[in-house]
Amino acid sequence: MIYGASGYTGELVAALAAERGEQPILAGRSAAKIEPLAERLGCPHVVVDLANERALRTALADVGAVAHCAGPFARTSRQMVDA
């Protein structure tokens, strides 16, 4: 999963992964941003807010690794690590 895929760094990571033939789950809190990116790159996606612990845990249930690209990291990393 690439969380924060619609941000600057996340989009670069997502594009590189797609270019390599990978299909990571693109994730973030804005459907308006994640859905068009996922469609363009041909990747699955999920809309989930870091503040929603239950939804975040559900989204991560079958995920083996996360590239956390949502900043600022001092504010966003704890929720992802805890989930």
Side-chain angles (χ1 to χ4, degrees), residues 1 7-8 11-12 19 21 24 26-27 35-36 42 48 54 76-77 81:
M1 175 185 282
Y8 180 77
E11 190 168 340
L12 291 174
E19 191 177 294
L26 306 185
E35 290 173 356
V48 61
R54 178 178 284 162
T76 64
S77 61
V81 170

Side-chain angles (χ1 to χ4, degrees), residues 23-68:
Q23 288 194 316
I25 300 166
L26 306 185
R29 61 189 168 105
S30 171
K33 293 179 181 178
I34 289 294
E35 290 173 356
L37 177 63
E39 185 176 319
R40 180 168 54 87
L41 297 178
C43 294
H45 70 281
V46 64
V47 177
V48 61
D49 193 312
L50 291 173
N52 187 336
E53 185 179 340
R54 178 178 284 162
L56 184 58
R57 287 178 187 260
T58 299
L60 293 170
D62 295 321
V63 173
V66 176
H68 184 76

